């Protein structure tokens, strides 16, 4: 483009420059027009319209005017109002200086020719194009504002079209629907729509807006669907409008309201429930906290009280234990005094009934005190000391300790074992308690004349012990409770000897520890049977419970203590006591017998016997000074032997020591009058046995001193057992009756007493320490002294009365005995 200035006669050249936006937009120019505003309009081919301000030569390209920016401008004309009109290959446009705005006229369509434009006198404008000439009045023509109407054609949920119908989401077709209501999870919705400008609707563009979701209208081009996902509950309005391509958006749009319901948990009533729940939870929490604090306080209080209780309980326990100990000693003393009193007043004595009562209740009292002491022991857990032993032998010994009770109550008492020997592993001390308890109970609850039986049997795995009685029995409902601590049946209260209800509970505990079982069957007034089952073998015991490594068997444990006797270990004075004494040792086990013999061989003479019968025969024959006997022996047991010895006039003076493995046996027997002088519990210490033997023999010498005293002997001094009393009474009576007989000799007395000389000799020697002759002489002298001193006899009368015809000899003997001549004792007349 060249501009010629007439005044300066110069050309100014304008051409397209890529880097300068103020240059002309193309060098290919189709049309030019100078308007009334002193501007030159330049129409380009495909690069829109440029305007050159002729006063300053500045070019404007109108880059913002998209409608015309790339148009090919074919002709330019100015109307009477100063509005510029442009024909292009894409239609007609106008430019209004007042608005500084281009306007398009979609109705004035068509492609126009270059420079085919003219304005007539009326101001009408003509453009020539491919479709002929276009004429219009620029003062009245308005750009078309009518946009194609748009219509919703379909509604889809999750890409599935919704068909209108009763009870459906759409009641009528989407086009007529005002409002769609969806639940909260129906959140993929698609709208389809179309412009109503047939047949050009495919050229239409669309804009959509979801009110409440989109801020502005969105131009989606020619797409005819709109999809929304994840819409939050709420009210929306979907709007769509359309336009013909290149035209303006009108104000018409199609719309439908969309309501997405809140889920039930977002409904108002749900919030009310939440609120109530929170309030409730808070309330419960508060209550819980308060209760918790309460409980903590209570617990603290409880713990304190509990501690106090324990303290008090311990104090009580301590008190019980102490007082029981205190009580036990005097009771033991009282009981032993009563035993002696019993011996002093013979059995027929009336006062003996009272003594028997005192003794019986005394024994009961002692048992109670012992049980009280047991309560203390209950607190500490029982620890087993398991060793192997013969269960039959073990039970029989305990059984034997009750034989006296049985005899007293006239009870048919029996012991049956299916096997002579039954080796099992058990704790002797604890098991002793069990059997002792079962038997004491049986005796307690069985009336005079009843029967009690002990059975021992075995099967493959177990040893079985049964204690059967014909006593008062136990009611069925009480049977389950008798093994509870402190439980006593209602019937038990009437039995005077009842304890504290501990025995069976301790027994059960012991049997449980042995992994065995104890139970009872019983019928009222018929009797009860207690069955104890103990597993054989030792595999079920803990290693620390087993004593097997220490000692092999019960018997060994009882006798073979490691310490060997050292002969010098007992002092000489004591040894003297044993000198010239004969000991009868009765024991069925040869080894043990041998061992006992070994203990005493250094000090005295020994006789041996293998059972009670043999021992009794030997005792009668040899009249030993002391008998040591085991209790458990074949043929005749130790208890029977003792009874035989003590009731036989010939042997009643011989002290007997019984050896027992069972401490309870000793307790039990001490309460009765078996006649044994002492008990030694196995295992014993050699020294202990020796000192017991020595003591017993020494006691005899005290008696002897009494005999050799100066006064006449009172036989009922309580120093002798009843048989010995009888013997001495008879002996003295025989002497007294025949005191004046010079020939009062052993032969005569043996006839008189119905015993052999030798027995009488030995017995007198043993009881009094004097020979027969010495004893008779001594006794005669005492009678003589009493005659002279108390009855006023003369010396010769007295000497004659006691069978001494030689007065001188009498006087000599008298002085020897009393240290004075008989005349010294004459009553001063
Ligand atoms: P207690 O020291 O009172 O005898 P136990 O624990 O040994 O306590 O016995 C508990 C209770 O069982 C007894 O009080 C008694 O009522 C009942 N009982 C136990 N053995 C027998 C039995 N052989 N005959 C009848 N009742 C028995």
């Amino acid at each position: 483009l060249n501009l010629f200035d007439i005044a300066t006669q110069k050309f100014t050249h304008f051409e397209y420059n890529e880097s300068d936006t103020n240059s002309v937009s193309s060098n290919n120019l189709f049309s030019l027009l100078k308007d009334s505003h002193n501007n030159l309009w330049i129409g380009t081919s495909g690069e829109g319209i440029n305007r050159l301000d002729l006063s300053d030569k500045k070019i404007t390209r109108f880059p913002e005017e998209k409608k015309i920016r790339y148009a090919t401008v074919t002709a330019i004309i100015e109307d009477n109002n100063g509005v510029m009109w442009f024909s292009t290959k894409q239609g007609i446009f106008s430019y209004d200086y007042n608005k500084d705005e281009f306007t398009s006229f979609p109705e004035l369509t068509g492609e126009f020719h270059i420079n085919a434009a003219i304005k007539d006198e009326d101001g009408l404008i003509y453009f020539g194009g491919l479709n002929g000439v276009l004429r219009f009045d620029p003062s009245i023509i308005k750009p078309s504002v009518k946009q194609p109407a748009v219509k919703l054609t379909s509604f889809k949920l999750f890409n599935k079209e919704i068909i209108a119908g009763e009870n459906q989401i759409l009641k009528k077709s989407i086009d007529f629907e005002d409002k769609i209501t969806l639940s909260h999870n129906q959140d993929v919705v698609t709208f389809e729509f179309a412009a109503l400008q047939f047949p050009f609707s495919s050229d239409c563009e669309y804009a959509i807006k979801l009110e409440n979701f989109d801020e502005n209208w969105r131009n989606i081009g020619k797409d005819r669907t709109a999809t929304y996902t994840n819409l939050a509950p709420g009210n929306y309005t979907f709007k769509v409008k359309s336009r013909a391509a290149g035209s303006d958006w009108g104000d018409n749009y199609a719309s439908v309201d969309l309501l997405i319901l809140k889920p039930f948990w977002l409904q108002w009533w749900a919030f009310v429930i939440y609120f109530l729940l929170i309030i409730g939870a808070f309330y419960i929490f508060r209550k819980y906290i308060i209760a918790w604090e309460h409980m903590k306080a209570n617990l603290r209080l409880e713990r304190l009280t509990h501690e106090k209780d324990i303290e008090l309980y311990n104090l009580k326990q301590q008190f019980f234990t102490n007082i029981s100990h205190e009580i036990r000693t005097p009771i033991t003393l009282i009981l032993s005094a009563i035993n002696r009193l019993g011996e002093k007043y013979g059995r027929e004595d009336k006062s003996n009934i009272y003594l028997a009562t005192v003794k019986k209740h005394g024994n009961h009292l002692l048992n109670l005190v012992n049980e009280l002491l047991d309560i203390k022991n209950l607190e500490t857990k029982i620890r087993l000391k398991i060793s192997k032993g013969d269960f039959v032998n073990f039970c029989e010994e305990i059984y034997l300790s009750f034989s006296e009770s049985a005899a007293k109550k006239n009870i048919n008492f029996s012991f049956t074992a299916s096997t002579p020997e039954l080796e099992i592993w058990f704790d002797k001390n604890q098991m002793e308690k069990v059997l002792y308890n079962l038997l004491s109970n049986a005796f307690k609850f069985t009336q005079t004349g009843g029967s009690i039986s002990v059975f021992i049997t075995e099967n493959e795995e177990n040893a079985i012990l049964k204690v059967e009685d014909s006593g008062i029995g136990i009611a069925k409902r009480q049977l389950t409770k008798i093994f509870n601590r402190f439980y006593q049946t209602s019937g038990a209260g009437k039995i005077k000897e009842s304890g504290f209800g501990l025995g069976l509970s301790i027994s059960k505990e012991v049997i449980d520890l042995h992994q065995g079982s104890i139970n009872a069957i019983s019928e009222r007034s018929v009797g009860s049977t207690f069955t104890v089952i103990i597993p054989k073998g030792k595999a079920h015991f803990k290693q620390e419970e087993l004593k097997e490594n220490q000692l092999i068997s019960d018997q060994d444990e009882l006798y073979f203590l490691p310490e060997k006797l050292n002969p010098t270990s007992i002092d000489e004075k004591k040894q003297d006591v044993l000198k010239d004494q004969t000991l009868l040792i009765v024991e069925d086990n040869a080894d043990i017998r041998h061992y006992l013999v070994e203990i005493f061989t250094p000090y005295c003479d020994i006789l041996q016997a293998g059972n009670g019968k043999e021992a009794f025969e030997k005792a009668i024959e040899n009249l030993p000074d002391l008998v040591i006997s085991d209790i458990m022996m074949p043929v005749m047991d130790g208890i029977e032997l003792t009874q035989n010895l003590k009731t036989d006039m010939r042997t009643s003076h011989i002290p007997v020591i019984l050896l027992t493995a069972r401490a309870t046996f000793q307790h039990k027997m001490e309460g009765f009058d078996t006649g044994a002088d002492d008990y030694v519990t196995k295992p014993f210490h050699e020294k202990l046995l020796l000192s017991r033997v020595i003591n017993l023999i020494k006691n005899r010498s005290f008696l002897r001193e009494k005999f050799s005293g100066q006064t006449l002997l009172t036989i009922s001094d309580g120093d002798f057992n009843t048989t010995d009393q009888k013997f001495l009474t008879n002996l003295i009576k025989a002497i007294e009756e025949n005191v004046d007989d010079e020939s009062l000799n052993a032969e005569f007395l043996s006839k008189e007493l119905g015993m052999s000389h030798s027995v009488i000799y030995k017995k007198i020697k043993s009881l009094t320490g004097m020979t027969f002759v010495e004893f008779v002489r001594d006794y005669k002298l005492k009678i003589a002294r009493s005659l002279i001193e108390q009855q006023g006899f003369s010396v010769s009368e007295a000497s004659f009365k006691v069978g001494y015809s030689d007065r001188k000899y009498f006087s000599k003997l008298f002085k020897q005995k009393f240290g004075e001549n008989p005349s010294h004792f004459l009553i001063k007349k």
Side-chain angles (χ1 to χ4, degrees), residues 368 371 437-446 467 469 471-474 478 481-493 497-507 522 524 527-530:
L368 283 182
E371 253 193 67
N437 253 313
L438 294 180
L439 282 173
S440 335
N441 280 346
F443 274 94
K444 265 192 245 171
F445 299 109
T446 303
V467 177
D469 68 52
I472 60 167
I474 307 162
Q478 295 176 320
K481 299 186 195 150
I482 54 171
F483 296 103
N484 294 349
R485 249 184 220 186
F486 302 114
Y487 185 81
Q488 292 179 308
T489 59
S490 39
E497 293 97 347
S498 67
F500 294 112
L502 281 174
L504 286 179
S505 75
I506 296 178
S507 303
S522 184
R524 270 257 181 250
S528 320
T529 306
F530 284 82

Side-chain angles (χ1 to χ4, degrees), residues 33-41 51-54 97:
L33 178 84
K34 182 177 172 275
D35 67 11
S36 52
H37 291 85
N38 197 31
N39 288 326
L40 178 72
W41 291 91
R51 187 175 69 186
L52 172 66
D53 187 341
L54 292 174
Y97 272 100

Side-chain angles (χ1 to χ4, degrees), residues 118 173 295 706:
I118 190 164
S173 118
M295 199 174 76
K706 255 189 187 161

